[in-house]
Amino acid sequence: MSDTDRRWTEAETATYRDLSRYAVPQRERQIALIVDRVAAAAVPGDVLEICCGEGLLTAALLEALPDVRVHAFDGSAAMLAATRERAEAMSGRLVTRRIDLAGRDWRRFDAPLRAAVSSLAVHHLDGPGKRDLFADLHATLAPGGVFVLADVVQPATAAGNAIAADLWDQEVRGRALSLDGNLEGFEAFRRADWNHFRHKELDPIDQPSTVVEQLDWLRAAGFVEVDLHWMTAGQMILSAVRP
């Protein structure tokens, strides 16, 4: 397998599930912000979640929007199983599907969508892949539909990279103390060498783009009201609306 063919593995899924409660900055705030942004889209239709992971955001969307069906897609069978288990009480409004993020066959729906959301996944696509995804999502959304993206970004400067690295360590340290009262979670994060802002070279699976690039690509795809809502530690939430 070449570097350009690098794919996420189930071993990495297991590591993510172990560390994500510490490694995702302000996780609860992020989920609440995304859900609120989707709830504000006053148009009918289903919601798509791209790379649903273990289903935290999926369950939050289903709970907050009792009349909405959520399509939760992921490349990991283990993650999809975890999502189905977490949302079991609302399974009648849940559709799951295993996908290849870079593929385009899963980006077509029978009816326009109210919203599409993604958390910590799109950075696995290169620049052209992100541009294609943004254009395809624009085509799937109903007029007034919203796309909400939470993701890792690439700082534009060496100074920005150093700041992101320090902030991420601080966020994880703080979450470990808050959740467990000790630093074992932070030490696990360090042992796993997850703070890629400290790496000289990125793992080929990680291809983050800058904030500015992604805002520009969304506008080029036809989105309006493109805006950055939250950012820390090299991670952001933005949204865009199909006019």
Side-chain angles (χ1 to χ4, degrees):
M1 179 182 292
S2 70
D3 284 350
T4 56
D5 292 332
R6 173 81 161 84
R7 293 290 186 269
W8 186 269
T9 67
E10 291 294 3
E12 287 163 318
T13 291
T15 300
Y16 176 83
R17 294 185 68 180
D18 288 341
L19 294 180
S20 59
R21 65 194 300 261
Y22 308 108
V24 180
Q26 301 173 33
R27 192 182 208 182
E28 298 76 19
R29 179 180 295 181
Q30 289 199 54
I31 290 172
L33 195 160
I34 295 167
V35 171
D36 287 349
R37 192 70 190 88
V38 173
V43 295
D46 295 349
V47 173
L48 165 66
E49 184 180 358
I50 305 162
C51 297
C52 57
E54 55 195 310
L56 289 170
L57 177 55
T58 309
L61 288 164
L62 288 166
E63 289 170 1
L65 303 165
D67 297 325
V68 167
R69 182 169 59 173
V70 174
H71 299 258
F73 294 174
D74 203 279
S76 162
M79 288 296 202
L80 289 171
T83 295
R84 287 190 292 268
E85 181 178 0
R86 188 179 300 277
E88 183 177 6
M90 300 166 285
S91 61
R93 295 186 291 116
L94 176 64
V95 179
T96 60
R97 179 178 174 182
R98 191 170 186 181
I99 63 166
D100 174 3
L101 176 61
R104 303 182 76 171
D105 59 305
W106 55 267
R107 303 177 189 178
R108 295 185 294 272
F109 293 84
D110 293 336
L113 298 174
R114 171 180 182 155
V117 304
S118 184
S119 177
L120 297 175
V122 173
H123 68 278
H124 295 312
L125 298 174
D126 60 14
K130 293 184 184 75
R131 290 196 295 270
D132 287 344
L133 175 65
F134 296 167
D136 290 343
L137 292 178
H138 182 274
T140 69
L141 291 171
V146 64
F147 171 46
V148 189
L149 175 64
D151 209 0
V152 176
V153 298
Q154 177 61 46
T157 66
N161 198 81
I163 291 168
D166 290 343
L167 285 174
W168 202 359
D169 278 350
Q170 291 172 25
E171 289 282 346
V172 177
R173 183 184 179 91
R175 283 190 65 81
L177 288 172
S178 176
L179 292 170
D180 300 336
N182 59 59
L183 293 176
E184 291 181 10
F186 174 63
E187 294 302 330
F189 173 80
R190 293 184 64 183
R191 286 194 300 272
D193 199 21
W194 251 38
N195 192 338
H196 70 257
F197 297 113
R198 299 201 184 281
H199 298 175
K200 290 183 179 180
E201 294 184 3
L202 288 177
D203 186 313
I205 200 173
D206 293 320
Q207 303 180 79
S209 301
T210 67
V211 174
V212 172
E213 286 175 325
Q214 294 181 81
L215 295 175
D216 286 345
W217 295 335
L218 287 165
R219 294 189 189 98
F223 284 99
V224 299
E225 299 182 36
V226 179
D227 203 359
L228 178 68
H229 304 303
W230 173 92
M231 186 170 183
T232 190
Q235 299 174 55
M236 57 111 194
I237 297 176
L238 56 77
S239 74
V241 175
R242 175 170 179 171

